[in-house]
Amino acid sequence: IAKYCIIFSLEGNMRFYVIIWKLLTGSVLTALALVFIYSAVFVMPANDQEWQHASAQTTGTVIELRETYRNRAYCDHLVIQYNAPDNRKLSFTPYDCYSKGTFHVGQQVSVRYNTGNPSIAYMDHGDNDQSTSIALLAFSALLLVIGIWFIAVSFRKKELPAT
């Protein structure tokens, strides 16, 4: 009889630990999802607005293509030149590597630069920020659903099988 009591008490303890694990996992996933949602809805748009007010848009020219072999494919790193407000010619290389043939030397591209420091610039695609927010919201929704599921499962009563 003592042997059966020990097994039953271990089984009860194990079930308790699994319930706690599910509850903690669900809580962490839900909290993380809420932080991501807050970031996508409030933080990212505020940063975009701040950058819009602290920057100016101009047109740049692709002056060089640097071919790179990355992820088993060739791609091009661009060197873009643009004019600063004081008519200095500045250039930069975006971090992205573009598919071969996407850009050519002499092509005009939209550039946005910092008005306080014109040497800080990036290619202004316009839709990148919105697509990043949408992707972050989709990932957050997935995390939220999984987190709520873990929390709900931790409160579900499960009957022991008859022995």
Side-chain angles (χ1 to χ4, degrees):
I1 295 177
K3 177 181 171 183
Y4 294 112
C5 290
I6 290 172
I7 290 172
F8 181 72
S9 72
L10 285 177
E11 188 176 288
N13 267 349
M14 183 59 84
R15 177 171 290 152
F16 174 74
Y17 292 132
V18 169
I19 289 170
I20 294 299
W21 177 82
K22 288 178 183 177
L23 188 60
L24 287 174
T25 301
S27 299
V28 168
L29 290 176
T30 302
L32 194 58
L34 293 175
V35 167
F36 286 164
I37 289 169
Y38 177 80
S39 179
V41 173
F42 297 108
V43 176
M44 291 174 64
N47 287 342
D48 291 343
Q49 287 291 359
E50 182 179 329
W51 180 249
Q52 291 290 332
H53 294 301
S55 66
Q57 190 171 15
T58 189
T59 301
T61 306
V62 177
I63 60 170
E64 184 182 348
L65 300 174
R66 296 179 184 159
E67 188 176 273
T68 304
Y69 187 74
R70 181 194 271 178
N71 297 331
R72 297 181 292 191
Y74 286 97
C75 61
D76 289 328
H77 282 285
L78 311 177
V79 178
I80 299 171
Q81 186 176 64
Y82 62 99
N83 290 328
D86 59 2
N87 289 327
R88 285 183 298 152
K89 289 195 179 293
L90 299 173
S91 64
F92 71 99
T93 301
Y95 174 77
D96 297 329
C97 194
Y98 296 93
S99 298
K100 299 282 301 158
T102 304
F103 293 95
H104 56 61
V105 174
Q107 182 173 345
Q108 300 290 306
V109 294
S110 181
V111 173
R112 189 164 282 281
Y113 64 89
N114 186 322
T115 53
N117 183 359
S119 64
I120 299 173
Y122 70 92
M123 279 180 61
D124 189 13
H125 297 292
D127 58 348
N128 282 350
D129 296 329
Q130 186 178 6
S131 61
T132 302
S133 294
I134 291 169
L136 188 58
L137 286 171
F139 181 67
S140 300
L142 179 67
L143 280 179
L144 189 63
V145 167
I146 293 170
I148 290 172
W149 180 80
F150 267 105
I151 292 170
V153 167
S154 70
F155 286 112
R156 189 174 61 190
K157 298 282 187 199
K158 192 171 185 182
E159 296 294 324
L160 288 176
T163 56

